[in-house]
Amino acid sequence: MEVRTSYDALFVDGAWAPSTGAPVDVVNPATGRAIGTVPEGTLADLDAAVGAARRAFDEGPWPRLPQAERSGLLRRFVEVLESHRAQLSAMITAESGALPWLVDSTHFALGFGRFLHAVDLASGELDSVTPLKVGAGSVLGGTALVHEPLGVAGLITPFNFPLFLNLSKLGPALALGNTVVLKPSPLTPLEGLVLGAAAADAGLPPGVLNVVTGGAEVGDRLVADPRVDMISFTGSDRTGSAVMRTAAESLKPVVLELGGKSALVVREDADVSRAADIAYSSFTLHAGQGCVLLTRHVVHRSLVDDFLDALATRAEAAVIGDPTEPGTTMGPLVSEAQRQRVTSYVEIGAAEGGEIVCGGKPVDREGFFYRPTVIHGVSPKARVAQEEIFGPVAVVLPFDSDDEAVAIANDSRFGLSGGVVSADTGKAWEIARRLKTGSVRINGGGTAPDLAAPITGWGASGVGTEHGLAGLLEFAQPKSIAFRAG
Protein backbone atom coordinates (compact mmCIF):
# COMPACT_ATOMS: atom_id res chain seq x y z
CA MET A 1 0.00 0.00 0.00
CA GLU A 2 1.20 3.50 -0.82
CA VAL A 3 0.27 6.46 1.38
CA ARG A 4 -0.23 9.35 -1.02
CA THR A 5 -1.27 12.98 -0.99
CA SER A 6 -2.49 13.02 -4.59
CA TYR A 7 -4.82 10.71 -6.52
CA ASP A 8 -6.04 10.76 -10.11
CA ALA A 9 -8.67 8.04 -9.59
CA LEU A 10 -11.24 6.78 -7.09
CA PHE A 11 -11.48 3.33 -5.51
CA VAL A 12 -14.36 1.43 -7.12
CA ASP A 13 -14.96 -2.31 -7.47
CA GLY A 14 -11.58 -3.25 -6.08
CA ALA A 15 -9.51 -1.05 -8.41
CA TRP A 16 -8.54 2.55 -9.08
CA ALA A 17 -11.12 3.92 -11.49
CA PRO A 18 -10.44 7.12 -13.48
CA SER A 19 -12.90 9.89 -12.66
CA THR A 20 -14.39 12.49 -14.94
CA GLY A 21 -14.34 14.97 -12.05
CA ALA A 22 -11.99 17.94 -12.06
CA PRO A 23 -8.95 17.81 -9.76
CA VAL A 24 -9.37 19.73 -6.50
CA ASP A 25 -6.69 20.79 -4.04
CA VAL A 26 -6.19 19.16 -0.67
CA VAL A 27 -5.10 22.00 1.63
CA ASN A 28 -2.92 21.84 4.73
CA PRO A 29 -4.83 23.99 7.25
CA ALA A 30 -1.64 24.88 9.09
CA THR A 31 -0.17 26.59 6.03
CA GLY A 32 -3.14 27.29 3.77
CA ARG A 33 -1.21 25.68 0.93
CA ALA A 34 -2.10 22.65 -1.20
CA ILE A 35 -0.40 19.36 -0.42
CA GLY A 36 -1.95 17.46 -3.32
CA THR A 37 -5.03 16.95 -5.48
CA VAL A 38 -7.85 14.42 -5.80
CA PRO A 39 -10.67 14.09 -8.33
CA GLU A 40 -13.94 15.68 -7.30
CA GLY A 41 -16.28 12.70 -7.48
CA THR A 42 -19.22 12.90 -9.87
CA LEU A 43 -22.65 11.30 -9.99
CA ALA A 44 -21.29 8.89 -12.60
CA ASP A 45 -18.54 7.84 -10.19
CA LEU A 46 -21.10 7.31 -7.45
CA ASP A 47 -23.35 5.28 -9.74
CA ALA A 48 -20.44 2.96 -10.53
CA ALA A 49 -19.55 2.61 -6.86
CA VAL A 50 -23.09 1.82 -5.76
CA GLY A 51 -23.43 -0.67 -8.60
CA ALA A 52 -20.21 -2.40 -7.52
CA ALA A 53 -21.32 -2.56 -3.90
CA ARG A 54 -24.73 -3.91 -4.93
CA ARG A 55 -23.19 -6.69 -7.03
CA ALA A 56 -20.68 -7.56 -4.33
CA PHE A 57 -23.50 -8.01 -1.83
CA ASP A 58 -26.05 -9.73 -4.07
CA GLU A 59 -23.61 -12.05 -5.84
CA GLY A 60 -21.13 -12.46 -3.00
CA PRO A 61 -18.99 -13.88 -1.71
CA TRP A 62 -18.64 -11.29 1.08
CA PRO A 63 -21.97 -11.68 2.95
CA ARG A 64 -21.77 -15.48 2.70
CA LEU A 65 -18.18 -15.94 3.80
CA PRO A 66 -17.73 -17.83 7.08
CA GLN A 67 -17.47 -15.24 9.84
CA ALA A 68 -13.95 -16.38 10.73
CA GLU A 69 -12.75 -15.81 7.17
CA ARG A 70 -14.39 -12.40 6.91
CA SER A 71 -12.97 -11.37 10.29
CA GLY A 72 -9.51 -12.54 9.25
CA LEU A 73 -9.56 -10.31 6.18
CA LEU A 74 -10.67 -7.32 8.25
CA ARG A 75 -7.89 -7.90 10.78
CA ARG A 76 -5.48 -8.03 7.86
CA PHE A 77 -6.92 -4.70 6.68
CA VAL A 78 -5.93 -3.10 10.01
CA GLU A 79 -2.50 -4.73 9.88
CA VAL A 80 -1.90 -3.13 6.48
CA LEU A 81 -2.77 0.30 7.89
CA GLU A 82 -0.66 -0.29 10.99
CA SER A 83 2.35 -1.21 8.87
CA HIS A 84 2.24 2.28 7.32
CA ARG A 85 1.61 4.12 10.57
CA ALA A 86 4.41 6.69 10.26
CA GLN A 87 3.41 7.77 6.76
CA LEU A 88 -0.28 7.79 7.70
CA SER A 89 0.41 9.94 10.74
CA ALA A 90 2.20 12.57 8.68
CA MET A 91 -0.59 12.57 6.10
CA ILE A 92 -3.35 12.91 8.72
CA THR A 93 -1.59 15.83 10.38
CA ALA A 94 -1.01 17.56 7.04
CA GLU A 95 -4.60 17.06 5.87
CA SER A 96 -6.63 17.67 9.05
CA GLY A 97 -4.30 19.71 11.26
CA ALA A 98 -4.39 17.15 14.09
CA LEU A 99 -1.56 17.19 16.60
CA PRO A 100 0.61 14.03 16.45
CA TRP A 101 -0.48 12.86 19.92
CA LEU A 102 -4.11 13.17 18.82
CA VAL A 103 -3.40 11.13 15.71
CA ASP A 104 -1.87 8.39 17.87
CA SER A 105 -4.59 8.37 20.53
CA THR A 106 -7.71 8.90 18.43
CA HIS A 107 -7.14 8.01 14.80
CA PHE A 108 -4.94 5.01 15.50
CA ALA A 109 -5.55 3.67 19.02
CA LEU A 110 -9.25 4.46 19.22
CA GLY A 111 -9.99 4.09 15.49
CA PHE A 112 -8.30 0.70 15.22
CA GLY A 113 -9.81 -0.25 18.58
CA ARG A 114 -13.39 0.56 17.52
CA PHE A 115 -12.92 -1.28 14.22
CA LEU A 116 -11.50 -4.44 15.81
CA HIS A 117 -14.01 -4.41 18.65
CA ALA A 118 -16.80 -4.56 16.07
CA VAL A 119 -15.02 -7.45 14.36
CA ASP A 120 -14.74 -9.26 17.70
CA LEU A 121 -18.42 -8.69 18.50
CA ALA A 122 -19.48 -9.98 15.08
CA SER A 123 -17.34 -13.06 15.68
CA GLY A 124 -19.19 -13.81 18.91
CA GLU A 125 -22.56 -15.38 19.61
CA LEU A 126 -25.00 -12.90 18.10
CA ASP A 127 -27.53 -15.55 17.13
CA SER A 128 -29.51 -17.73 19.54
CA VAL A 129 -32.08 -20.53 19.72
CA THR A 130 -34.83 -20.74 22.32
CA PRO A 131 -35.05 -24.01 24.24
CA LEU A 132 -36.97 -26.70 22.37
CA LYS A 133 -40.39 -27.39 23.79
CA VAL A 134 -43.44 -29.49 23.03
CA GLY A 135 -46.45 -27.65 21.72
CA ALA A 136 -49.98 -28.65 20.74
CA GLY A 137 -50.22 -32.06 19.14
CA SER A 138 -46.92 -33.14 20.74
CA VAL A 139 -44.95 -31.10 18.19
CA LEU A 140 -41.38 -30.40 19.26
CA GLY A 141 -39.92 -27.14 18.02
CA GLY A 142 -38.36 -23.80 18.76
CA THR A 143 -37.34 -20.41 17.39
CA ALA A 144 -33.96 -19.21 16.20
CA LEU A 145 -32.92 -15.55 16.17
CA VAL A 146 -30.37 -14.70 13.50
CA HIS A 147 -28.90 -11.40 12.29
CA GLU A 148 -28.56 -10.73 8.58
CA PRO A 149 -26.49 -7.93 6.99
CA LEU A 150 -28.67 -5.11 5.65
CA GLY A 151 -26.98 -4.90 2.26
CA VAL A 152 -25.25 -1.82 0.86
CA ALA A 153 -24.31 0.73 3.52
CA GLY A 154 -23.69 4.35 2.55
CA LEU A 155 -21.24 5.99 4.95
CA ILE A 156 -20.79 9.78 4.99
CA THR A 157 -18.11 11.24 7.26
CA PRO A 158 -16.94 14.74 8.29
CA PHE A 159 -13.57 16.49 8.36
CA ASN A 160 -12.70 16.65 12.04
CA PHE A 161 -11.56 13.09 12.87
CA PRO A 162 -11.64 11.46 9.42
CA LEU A 163 -9.66 8.22 9.80
CA PHE A 164 -11.19 7.50 13.22
CA LEU A 165 -14.75 8.09 12.00
CA ASN A 166 -14.21 6.17 8.76
CA LEU A 167 -12.94 3.15 10.70
CA SER A 168 -15.68 3.44 13.35
CA LYS A 169 -18.33 3.06 10.66
CA LEU A 170 -16.52 0.57 8.46
CA GLY A 171 -15.89 -1.90 11.28
CA PRO A 172 -19.49 -2.84 12.10
CA ALA A 173 -20.69 -2.47 8.51
CA LEU A 174 -18.11 -4.83 7.03
CA ALA A 175 -17.88 -7.24 9.96
CA LEU A 176 -21.53 -8.22 9.55
CA GLY A 177 -21.19 -8.79 5.81
CA ASN A 178 -22.49 -5.52 4.38
CA THR A 179 -20.77 -3.84 1.45
CA VAL A 180 -19.93 -0.15 1.59
CA VAL A 181 -19.77 3.09 -0.34
CA LEU A 182 -17.78 5.59 1.70
CA LYS A 183 -18.01 9.31 0.93
CA PRO A 184 -15.42 11.24 2.96
CA SER A 185 -15.50 14.98 3.55
CA PRO A 186 -14.30 17.08 0.60
CA LEU A 187 -11.87 18.71 3.05
CA THR A 188 -10.23 15.43 4.07
CA PRO A 189 -10.53 12.97 1.17
CA LEU A 190 -7.09 11.38 1.59
CA GLU A 191 -8.07 9.60 4.81
CA GLY A 192 -10.87 7.92 2.87
CA LEU A 193 -9.00 7.03 -0.31
CA VAL A 194 -6.11 5.44 1.58
CA LEU A 195 -8.60 2.88 2.92
CA GLY A 196 -9.20 1.73 -0.64
CA ALA A 197 -5.51 1.05 -1.00
CA ALA A 198 -5.52 -0.89 2.28
CA ALA A 199 -8.55 -2.92 1.19
CA ALA A 200 -6.78 -3.95 -2.01
CA ASP A 201 -3.62 -4.96 -0.15
CA ALA A 202 -5.61 -6.87 2.47
CA GLY A 203 -7.43 -8.89 -0.18
CA LEU A 204 -11.00 -7.69 0.37
CA PRO A 205 -13.12 -8.87 -2.59
CA PRO A 206 -13.94 -6.30 -5.30
CA GLY A 207 -16.91 -4.06 -4.52
CA VAL A 208 -16.85 -4.65 -0.76
CA LEU A 209 -15.36 -1.21 -0.05
CA ASN A 210 -15.75 1.66 -2.50
CA VAL A 211 -14.55 5.23 -1.87
CA VAL A 212 -16.00 8.18 -3.78
CA THR A 213 -15.13 11.81 -3.12
CA GLY A 214 -17.44 14.73 -3.86
CA GLY A 215 -19.65 17.37 -2.34
CA ALA A 216 -23.27 17.68 -1.31
CA GLU A 217 -24.66 16.55 -4.67
CA VAL A 218 -22.85 13.22 -4.41
CA GLY A 219 -23.91 12.81 -0.79
CA ASP A 220 -27.56 13.54 -1.63
CA ARG A 221 -27.57 10.98 -4.44
CA LEU A 222 -25.96 8.34 -2.21
CA VAL A 223 -28.74 8.79 0.36
CA ALA A 224 -31.48 8.76 -2.27
CA ASP A 225 -30.24 5.78 -4.30
CA PRO A 226 -32.72 2.89 -3.88
CA ARG A 227 -29.86 0.38 -4.25
CA VAL A 228 -28.44 1.62 -0.94
CA ASP A 229 -30.01 -0.14 2.05
CA MET A 230 -28.94 2.09 4.95
CA ILE A 231 -27.09 5.33 5.70
CA SER A 232 -24.71 6.19 8.51
CA PHE A 233 -23.96 9.92 8.62
CA THR A 234 -21.87 12.07 10.94
CA GLY A 235 -22.11 15.84 10.59
CA SER A 236 -24.27 18.84 11.35
CA ASP A 237 -27.85 18.57 12.57
CA ARG A 238 -29.08 20.60 9.59
CA THR A 239 -27.55 18.20 7.09
CA GLY A 240 -28.64 15.24 9.22
CA SER A 241 -32.23 16.42 9.00
CA ALA A 242 -31.95 16.58 5.21
CA VAL A 243 -30.42 13.08 5.14
CA MET A 244 -33.33 11.74 7.19
CA ARG A 245 -35.91 13.35 4.89
CA THR A 246 -34.28 11.97 1.77
CA ALA A 247 -33.81 8.50 3.24
CA ALA A 248 -37.49 8.44 4.19
CA GLU A 249 -38.43 8.41 0.50
CA SER A 250 -37.04 4.89 0.18
CA LEU A 251 -37.76 3.96 3.82
CA LYS A 252 -34.12 3.10 4.47
CA PRO A 253 -32.82 3.14 8.06
CA VAL A 254 -30.39 5.85 9.12
CA VAL A 255 -27.86 6.32 11.90
CA LEU A 256 -27.17 10.01 12.50
CA GLU A 257 -24.42 11.25 14.82
CA LEU A 258 -24.93 15.00 14.78
CA GLY A 259 -23.99 18.17 16.62
CA GLY A 260 -23.54 19.03 20.24
CA LYS A 261 -23.43 21.94 22.66
CA SER A 262 -22.42 19.94 25.67
CA ALA A 263 -22.34 21.25 29.23
CA LEU A 264 -19.75 20.81 31.97
CA VAL A 265 -21.36 21.32 35.39
CA VAL A 266 -18.89 22.57 38.01
CA ARG A 267 -20.43 22.24 41.49
CA GLU A 268 -19.68 24.46 44.48
CA ASP A 269 -17.42 21.82 46.05
CA ALA A 270 -15.31 21.30 42.90
CA ASP A 271 -11.55 21.77 42.78
CA VAL A 272 -11.29 24.83 40.52
CA SER A 273 -7.90 23.91 39.10
CA ARG A 274 -9.08 20.43 38.16
CA ALA A 275 -12.30 21.79 36.68
CA ALA A 276 -10.37 24.32 34.60
CA ASP A 277 -8.05 21.59 33.32
CA ILE A 278 -11.03 19.50 32.20
CA ALA A 279 -12.80 22.50 30.68
CA TYR A 280 -9.76 23.83 28.83
CA SER A 281 -8.63 20.50 27.43
CA SER A 282 -12.15 19.83 26.14
CA PHE A 283 -13.00 23.06 24.36
CA THR A 284 -9.55 23.41 22.77
CA LEU A 285 -9.08 19.77 21.70
CA HIS A 286 -8.42 19.80 17.94
CA ALA A 287 -9.13 23.55 18.01
CA GLY A 288 -12.64 22.88 19.31
CA GLN A 289 -13.64 20.84 16.26
CA GLY A 290 -15.48 18.02 17.99
CA CYS A 291 -19.18 17.38 18.47
CA VAL A 292 -18.75 15.81 21.95
CA LEU A 293 -16.59 18.63 23.35
CA LEU A 294 -17.74 20.50 26.46
CA THR A 295 -18.22 24.10 25.34
CA ARG A 296 -20.82 25.32 27.86
CA HIS A 297 -19.23 25.63 31.29
CA VAL A 298 -22.02 25.79 33.89
CA VAL A 299 -20.21 26.95 37.01
CA HIS A 300 -21.41 27.62 40.56
CA ARG A 301 -21.59 31.36 41.07
CA SER A 302 -19.19 31.28 44.02
CA LEU A 303 -16.48 29.80 41.79
CA VAL A 304 -16.99 31.80 38.61
CA ASP A 305 -14.27 34.44 39.15
CA ASP A 306 -11.62 31.88 40.11
CA PHE A 307 -12.72 29.57 37.28
CA LEU A 308 -12.49 32.37 34.69
CA ASP A 309 -9.01 33.31 35.91
CA ALA A 310 -7.84 29.70 35.76
CA LEU A 311 -9.36 29.12 32.33
CA ALA A 312 -7.91 32.36 30.91
CA THR A 313 -4.47 31.51 32.30
CA ARG A 314 -4.51 28.19 30.48
CA ALA A 315 -5.87 29.70 27.26
CA GLU A 316 -3.29 32.48 27.18
CA ALA A 317 -0.49 29.94 27.68
CA ALA A 318 -1.53 27.95 24.62
CA VAL A 319 1.17 27.46 22.02
CA ILE A 320 -0.76 27.81 18.78
CA GLY A 321 0.94 26.72 15.60
CA ASP A 322 1.77 24.10 13.04
CA PRO A 323 1.18 20.65 14.58
CA THR A 324 4.57 19.52 13.27
CA GLU A 325 6.39 22.21 15.29
CA PRO A 326 7.72 21.03 18.68
CA GLY A 327 5.80 22.44 21.63
CA THR A 328 2.59 23.20 19.75
CA THR A 329 -0.44 22.63 22.00
CA MET A 330 -3.25 23.69 19.64
CA GLY A 331 -3.39 23.46 15.88
CA PRO A 332 -5.51 25.12 13.18
CA LEU A 333 -9.13 25.09 12.18
CA VAL A 334 -9.72 23.06 9.05
CA SER A 335 -10.36 25.93 6.64
CA GLU A 336 -10.65 29.68 6.25
CA ALA A 337 -14.42 29.28 6.05
CA GLN A 338 -14.40 27.59 9.44
CA ARG A 339 -12.24 30.37 10.89
CA GLN A 340 -14.67 32.96 9.54
CA ARG A 341 -17.52 31.04 11.18
CA VAL A 342 -15.77 31.16 14.55
CA THR A 343 -15.01 34.87 14.12
CA SER A 344 -18.65 35.63 13.38
CA TYR A 345 -19.85 33.76 16.47
CA VAL A 346 -17.45 35.62 18.73
CA GLU A 347 -18.79 38.87 17.30
CA ILE A 348 -22.33 37.63 17.96
CA GLY A 349 -21.38 36.80 21.55
CA ALA A 350 -20.05 40.33 22.11
CA ALA A 351 -23.20 41.81 20.57
CA GLU A 352 -25.28 39.67 22.94
CA GLY A 353 -23.60 41.37 25.90
CA GLY A 354 -20.81 38.88 26.45
CA GLU A 355 -17.43 39.77 27.89
CA ILE A 356 -14.55 38.33 25.87
CA VAL A 357 -12.41 37.15 28.79
CA CYS A 358 -9.54 36.01 26.57
CA GLY A 359 -8.82 35.33 22.91
CA GLY A 360 -11.46 36.65 20.55
CA LYS A 361 -9.31 36.99 17.45
CA PRO A 362 -7.42 35.00 14.82
CA VAL A 363 -3.69 34.35 15.07
CA ASP A 364 -1.67 36.55 12.73
CA ARG A 365 0.20 33.90 10.74
CA GLU A 366 -0.34 31.70 7.69
CA GLY A 367 -2.89 28.97 8.13
CA PHE A 368 -6.32 28.95 9.77
CA PHE A 369 -5.64 29.61 13.44
CA TYR A 370 -7.87 31.15 16.11
CA ARG A 371 -7.07 31.91 19.74
CA PRO A 372 -8.85 29.99 22.52
CA THR A 373 -11.74 32.23 23.51
CA VAL A 374 -13.81 32.41 26.70
CA ILE A 375 -17.08 34.36 26.78
CA HIS A 376 -18.84 35.31 30.04
CA GLY A 377 -21.94 37.31 30.83
CA VAL A 378 -24.42 36.07 28.24
CA SER A 379 -27.79 34.49 28.92
CA PRO A 380 -28.13 30.70 28.63
CA LYS A 381 -30.53 31.54 25.79
CA ALA A 382 -27.89 33.49 23.82
CA ARG A 383 -26.93 32.14 20.43
CA VAL A 384 -23.34 31.49 21.51
CA ALA A 385 -24.72 29.40 24.36
CA GLN A 386 -27.17 27.49 22.16
CA GLU A 387 -25.60 26.99 18.73
CA GLU A 388 -22.70 24.72 17.83
CA ILE A 389 -19.67 26.83 16.86
CA PHE A 390 -17.12 24.08 16.15
CA GLY A 391 -14.13 26.12 17.24
CA PRO A 392 -12.13 26.91 20.40
CA VAL A 393 -14.86 28.98 22.04
CA ALA A 394 -16.31 28.34 25.51
CA VAL A 395 -19.20 30.09 27.25
CA VAL A 396 -19.28 30.31 31.06
CA LEU A 397 -22.76 30.32 32.64
CA PRO A 398 -23.23 30.76 36.43
CA PHE A 399 -25.74 28.89 38.62
CA ASP A 400 -26.82 28.92 42.26
CA SER A 401 -28.26 25.43 42.86
CA ASP A 402 -27.96 21.92 41.44
CA ASP A 403 -31.49 22.17 40.10
CA GLU A 404 -30.60 25.36 38.24
CA ALA A 405 -27.42 23.76 36.89
CA VAL A 406 -29.38 20.83 35.50
CA ALA A 407 -31.98 23.18 34.00
CA ILE A 408 -29.28 25.23 32.24
CA ALA A 409 -27.46 22.14 31.02
CA ASN A 410 -30.69 20.63 29.66
CA ASP A 411 -31.77 23.91 28.04
CA SER A 412 -30.45 22.83 24.65
CA ARG A 413 -31.83 21.14 21.57
CA PHE A 414 -28.66 19.02 21.60
CA GLY A 415 -27.85 16.15 23.94
CA LEU A 416 -24.65 14.39 22.94
CA SER A 417 -22.30 14.50 25.93
CA GLY A 418 -21.82 16.17 29.29
CA GLY A 419 -19.61 16.39 32.34
CA VAL A 420 -19.81 16.98 36.08
CA VAL A 421 -16.99 18.04 38.42
CA SER A 422 -17.59 17.60 42.13
CA ALA A 423 -15.90 16.35 45.29
CA ASP A 424 -19.14 14.53 46.09
CA THR A 425 -19.36 11.71 43.55
CA GLY A 426 -22.80 10.75 44.80
CA LYS A 427 -24.17 14.21 43.99
CA ALA A 428 -22.29 14.15 40.70
CA TRP A 429 -23.93 10.81 39.88
CA GLU A 430 -27.37 12.25 40.62
CA ILE A 431 -26.72 15.16 38.28
CA ALA A 432 -25.32 12.86 35.59
CA ARG A 433 -28.52 10.80 35.68
CA ARG A 434 -30.62 13.95 35.22
CA LEU A 435 -28.71 15.29 32.22
CA LYS A 436 -30.50 14.66 28.92
CA THR A 437 -27.46 13.53 27.01
CA GLY A 438 -26.05 10.36 25.54
CA SER A 439 -22.92 10.22 27.71
CA VAL A 440 -21.55 11.92 30.82
CA ARG A 441 -18.07 12.02 32.35
CA ILE A 442 -17.75 12.54 36.10
CA ASN A 443 -14.51 14.29 37.14
CA GLY A 444 -13.02 13.74 33.70
CA GLY A 445 -14.17 10.16 33.24
CA GLY A 446 -12.14 6.98 33.11
CA THR A 447 -8.51 6.62 32.14
CA ALA A 448 -9.27 5.23 28.68
CA PRO A 449 -12.28 5.05 26.35
CA ASP A 450 -14.53 2.04 26.86
CA LEU A 451 -14.78 0.36 23.46
CA ALA A 452 -18.03 -1.33 24.49
CA ALA A 453 -19.73 1.95 25.45
CA PRO A 454 -22.32 3.09 22.90
CA ILE A 455 -22.52 6.65 21.63
CA THR A 456 -25.99 8.06 21.15
CA GLY A 457 -27.62 11.46 21.24
CA TRP A 458 -30.79 13.12 22.45
CA GLY A 459 -32.78 15.61 20.37
CA ALA A 460 -30.84 17.26 17.56
CA SER A 461 -27.71 15.26 18.42
CA GLY A 462 -28.80 12.26 16.45
CA VAL A 463 -30.75 9.11 15.76
CA GLY A 464 -29.57 5.57 16.45
CA THR A 465 -26.38 4.33 18.09
CA GLU A 466 -22.71 4.04 17.22
CA HIS A 467 -20.13 1.73 18.84
CA GLY A 468 -20.57 -1.26 21.09
CA LEU A 469 -23.06 -4.04 20.50
CA ALA A 470 -25.95 -1.64 19.89
CA GLY A 471 -23.90 0.18 17.26
CA LEU A 472 -22.98 -3.08 15.56
CA LEU A 473 -26.60 -4.16 15.33
CA GLU A 474 -27.56 -0.94 13.51
CA PHE A 475 -26.03 -2.67 10.46
CA ALA A 476 -28.03 -5.91 10.91
CA GLN A 477 -31.58 -7.06 10.31
CA PRO A 478 -32.86 -9.46 13.00
CA LYS A 479 -34.77 -12.46 11.67
CA SER A 480 -36.70 -15.09 13.62
CA ILE A 481 -36.97 -18.61 12.20
CA ALA A 482 -39.51 -20.94 13.80
CA PHE A 483 -38.93 -24.63 13.17
CA ARG A 484 -40.11 -28.13 13.99
CA ALA A 485 -37.65 -30.69 15.22
CA GLY A 486 -38.10 -33.78 13.04
Side-chain angles (χ1 to χ4, degrees), residues 411-436:
D411 183 16
S412 173
R413 61 196 183 91
F414 297 108
L416 195 56
S417 70
V420 185
V421 184
S422 174
D424 187 333
T425 52
K427 291 292 187 183
W429 177 268
E430 291 175 4
I431 290 175
R433 290 299 304 268
R434 295 173 64 189
L435 296 180
K436 295 179 180 178

Side-chain angles (χ1 to χ4, degrees), residues 298-382:
V298 184
V299 181
H300 193 274
R301 196 175 302 276
S302 66
L303 303 181
V304 166
D305 289 345
D306 290 341
F307 181 84
L308 287 171
D309 287 344
L311 202 56
T313 296
R314 287 157 175 76
E316 289 165 355
V319 180
I320 306 168
D322 192 314
T324 62
E325 296 172 356
T328 296
T329 61
M330 194 180 86
L333 295 161
V334 75
S335 66
E336 178 59 26
Q338 191 63 23
R339 184 164 67 170
Q340 290 297 326
R341 174 183 172 87
V342 172
T343 299
S344 68
Y345 267 104
V346 173
E347 292 171 352
I348 289 168
E352 291 176 314
E355 172 195 358
I356 310 302
V357 177
C358 60
K361 57 184 178 181
V363 179
D364 186 16
R365 59 171 291 169
E366 66 176 6
F368 313 127
F369 299 92
Y370 200 91
R371 298 185 184 280
T373 300
V374 177
I375 301 175
H376 174 54
V378 297
S379 161
K381 299 287 190 183

